[in-house]
Amino acid sequence: MTYCVGLKIDRGLVFMSDTRTNAGVDSISIFRKMYTWEEPGERVLVMLAAGNLATTQAVVSLLDERSKAPAERSPSILQTPSMYQTARLVGNTVKEVIASSAPTGQNADAFGASFILGGQIKGTEPRLFLIYPEGNFIETSEDTPFFQIGETKYGKPILVRAYEPTMTFAETAKLLMVSFDSTVKSNLSVGLPLDFLYYERDSYKVGYRKRIGHDDPYYREISDGWSDALKSAFKRLPDFQE
Amino acid sequence: MTYCVGLKIDRGLVFMSDTRTNAGVDSISIFRKMYTWEEPGERVLVMLAAGNLATTQAVVSLLDERSKAPAERSPSILQTPSMYQTARLVGNTVKEVIASSAPTGQNADAFGASFILGGQIKGTEPRLFLIYPEGNFIETSEDTPFFQIGETKYGKPILVRAYEPTMTFAETAKLLMVSFDSTVKSNLSVGLPLDFLYYERDSYKVGYRKRIGHDDPYYREISDGWSDALKSAFKRLPDFQE
């Protein structure tokens, strides 16, 4: 499996993804699931991928290739006029890859993949989309300001409770680390290192990017600190009376 | 779906289950998923059920009926000599019901159900089992002292972190309410009221039993208090430094 989160805050967009892929528990590898396209001053696009690794890599390769030889397919991901058109382009590429993986009426579910796509194109607002294996997609709203893909359940309660649109990037980094740590502690199919990236609105360049490994001192501090904080928060809750 | 937890602590056994059943989101009902058999001074058995409601009700009805007319099937659930034999009896009944629901080689998955069975029979130790739709089962150990069935993921992180074998019953009530509240807040298919029960070892009677509704003041206090406690614990964690 996989765990990826994309968050929209007032200041911009924040992304985190794990790197574990597995085919069964005895075939584990590390693959980056965060992809970026950047034209400084013009556009920044960030994509997180979950699902069949062959599908997600094919989608990214096609998007990449076509941006380098735009004659082949126009507009490329570096030329789309809006984030909405970018999401459509990605969605169509996903459909194309999945259809060609299951050409003879095979069950396409095995080739499925979902994506979180966020970014900003000069002259438009930052936007964040969730793209389904069927190629259609939804966008964040005030009520649903973040998307998760992969093993989403363990890390959801803290996101639901602690997210605020006015958060700083440092606070969202903390929030995402807690959400990922809860997931990693509960599910073998999600694993470190993590990729973290944030984009500040109207900056048109990647603001910060870091790979967080097992030995990352801040991650360790959060992981241990959150266990202790939960235990003592729990202790302070009022006791049950029969 | 459903969410049920059975916990083994030094003092005995603790159980909690929700009551929501659904066939799609537009067909929601309330059903008890906690069943007890009690012979004061002799044995207490508690069973929690998740999965196909027709299957779980059939299993319970058969176990009940056969305990009232034991000639039909011996030993009945009130006569088994050990908790291990009780788990076998329940497992065989599950297999029997599922097999008769899918007689013509239909996919039996749709009729699946899982059970948590705990209790104590005079002269033996309290034991807690997880029974699979296939009828086989596993037992808790020191390393895995609790079982969850149904929508298990949202409520697992707090159980993993805050469970201690030396907990009191009041503390386990608090722990389970936090775990259930996290689940209810994240997933529509799990809903109040909750059934809570604990069994004190060597007492051979149900120790305490309560149905917890939306208006339960302690549940409200925990639900609100835990949100606040999480938020302030989160705030106190050290900030991320680039």
Side-chain angles (χ1 to χ4, degrees):
Chain A
M1 266 310 245
T2 285
Y3 182 38
C4 299
V5 180
L7 279 168
K8 192 173 176 201
I9 54 174
D10 294 345
R11 287 174 168 81
L13 302 168
V14 190
F15 303 87
M16 194 176 274
S17 55
D18 84 318
T19 51
R20 181 160 295 173
T21 68
N22 68 303
V25 288
D26 54 353
S27 171
I28 291 181
S29 314
I30 295 182
F31 280 96
R32 177 177 291 269
K33 300 167 191 174
M34 179 184 285
Y35 305 92
T36 54
W37 290 267
E38 197 176 359
E39 276 202 293
E42 287 296 328
R43 75 175 62 203
V44 166
L45 305 173
V46 182
M47 199 163 85
L48 309 176
N52 184 298
L53 184 64
T55 299
T56 62
Q57 289 196 345
V59 168
V60 172
S61 296
L62 278 176
L63 291 170
D64 248 350
E65 217 171 88
R66 288 168 182 173
S67 75
K68 281 158 195 160
E72 200 194 321
R73 186 71 58 102
S74 184
S76 86
I77 197 162
L78 295 177
Q79 297 170 317
T80 43
S82 68
M83 282 306 297
Y84 176 80
Q85 292 297 338
T86 315
R88 269 192 61 177
L89 174 66
V90 174
N92 288 337
T93 311
V94 175
K95 262 197 292 198
E96 177 189 338
V97 168
I98 293 181
S100 75
S101 301
T104 52
Q106 286 176 49
N107 186 350
D109 290 352
F111 302 102
S114 312
F115 298 84
I116 291 173
L117 171 74
Q120 188 177 14
I121 293 173
K122 189 129 198 179
T124 68
E125 283 293 292
R127 292 172 77 174
L128 186 65
F129 297 92
L130 172 61
I131 300 167
Y132 295 107
E134 292 77 11
N136 57 351
F137 49 86
I138 57 174
E139 185 177 1
T140 53
S141 66
E142 262 178 54
D143 300 313
T144 304
F146 59 83
F147 290 128
Q148 306 167 284
I149 51 179
E151 275 292 348
T152 61
K153 297 185 178 183
Y154 307 101
K156 189 173 181 186
I158 185 65
L159 288 181
V160 170
R161 278 164 162 138
Y163 169 88
E164 303 280 350
T166 55
M167 285 179 129
T168 65
F169 290 114
E171 283 166 344
T172 55
K174 185 163 82 170
L175 175 60
L176 289 172
M177 290 209 193
V178 170
S179 177
F180 274 73
D181 182 54
S182 293
T183 308
V184 167
K185 280 215 169 68
S186 299
N187 194 302
L188 274 185
S189 72
V190 179
L192 268 56
L194 309 175
D195 287 308
F196 172 65
L197 182 156
Y198 72 68
Y199 168 75
E200 194 176 342
R201 65 179 299 143
D202 304 333
S203 70
Y204 304 105
K205 63 177 186 345
V206 169
Y208 181 77
R209 185 201 301 255
K210 189 177 188 187
R211 174 156 282 199
I212 297 146
H214 286 96
D215 50 356
D216 184 88
Y218 182 66
Y219 182 80
R220 290 256 57 82
E221 212 179 331
I222 291 294
S223 178
D224 300 343
W226 184 240
S227 275
D228 296 343
L230 274 191
K231 281 182 206 164
S232 66
F234 177 72
K235 282 218 165 64
R236 278 196 304 276
L237 284 179
D239 274 337
F240 179 70
Q241 307 286 345
E242 289 187 10
Chain B
M1 268 306 249
T2 285
Y3 182 40
C4 300
V5 180
L7 278 168
K8 193 174 177 200
I9 54 173
D10 294 346
R11 288 172 166 83
L13 301 168
V14 189
F15 303 87
M16 193 176 274
S17 55
D18 85 315
T19 51
R20 181 160 295 173
T21 68
N22 67 304
V25 287
D26 56 350
S27 170
I28 291 182
S29 315
I30 295 182
F31 280 96
R32 178 178 291 269
K33 300 166 191 175
M34 180 184 283
Y35 305 93
T36 54
W37 290 267
E38 195 176 1
E39 277 202 292
E42 286 296 329
R43 75 174 61 204
V44 167
L45 304 173
V46 182
M47 200 162 83
L48 309 178
N52 183 299
L53 184 64
T55 300
T56 62
Q57 289 195 345
V59 167
V60 172
S61 295
L62 277 176
L63 291 170
D64 248 352
E65 215 172 272
R66 288 167 181 174
S67 75
K68 281 159 195 158
E72 199 196 321
R73 187 69 58 101
S74 184
S76 87
I77 198 163
L78 295 177
Q79 296 169 318
T80 42
S82 67
M83 282 304 298
Y84 176 79
Q85 293 296 338
T86 314
R88 269 191 59 177
L89 174 67
V90 173
N92 288 336
T93 311
V94 175
K95 261 196 293 195
E96 177 189 338
V97 168
I98 293 181
S100 75
S101 301
T104 51
Q106 284 176 47
N107 186 350
D109 291 352
F111 302 102
S114 311
F115 298 84
I116 292 173
L117 172 73
Q120 188 176 15
I121 293 172
K122 190 128 200 181
T124 68
E125 283 292 293
R127 291 171 77 176
L128 186 65
F129 297 92
L130 172 61
I131 299 167
Y132 295 106
E134 291 77 11
N136 57 351
F137 50 86
I138 57 173
E139 186 178 0
T140 53
S141 66
E142 264 178 52
D143 300 311
T144 304
F146 59 83
F147 290 128
Q148 305 168 283
I149 51 178
E151 275 293 347
T152 61
K153 296 185 178 183
Y154 307 101
K156 189 173 182 187
I158 185 65
L159 288 181
V160 169
R161 278 167 161 135
Y163 169 89
E164 302 282 349
T166 54
M167 285 178 129
T168 64
F169 289 114
E171 283 166 343
T172 55
K174 184 162 83 171
L175 176 59
L176 288 172
M177 289 208 193
V178 170
S179 178
F180 273 73
D181 181 53
S182 292
T183 308
V184 167
K185 280 213 169 68
S186 299
N187 193 303
L188 274 184
S189 72
V190 178
L192 268 59
L194 310 175
D195 287 309
F196 172 66
L197 183 156
Y198 72 68
Y199 169 74
E200 194 177 343
R201 65 180 299 144
D202 304 334
S203 70
Y204 304 105
K205 62 178 184 355
V206 170
Y208 181 78
R209 184 200 302 252
K210 188 177 189 188
R211 174 156 283 201
I212 297 146
H214 286 97
D215 50 356
D216 185 87
Y218 182 66
Y219 182 80
R220 291 256 56 84
E221 211 178 332
I222 291 293
S223 178
D224 300 341
W226 185 240
S227 275
D228 297 342
L230 274 191
K231 281 181 206 164
S232 66
F234 177 72
K235 282 219 164 64
R236 279 195 303 275
L237 284 179
D239 272 337
F240 179 69
Q241 307 286 345
E242 288 188 9

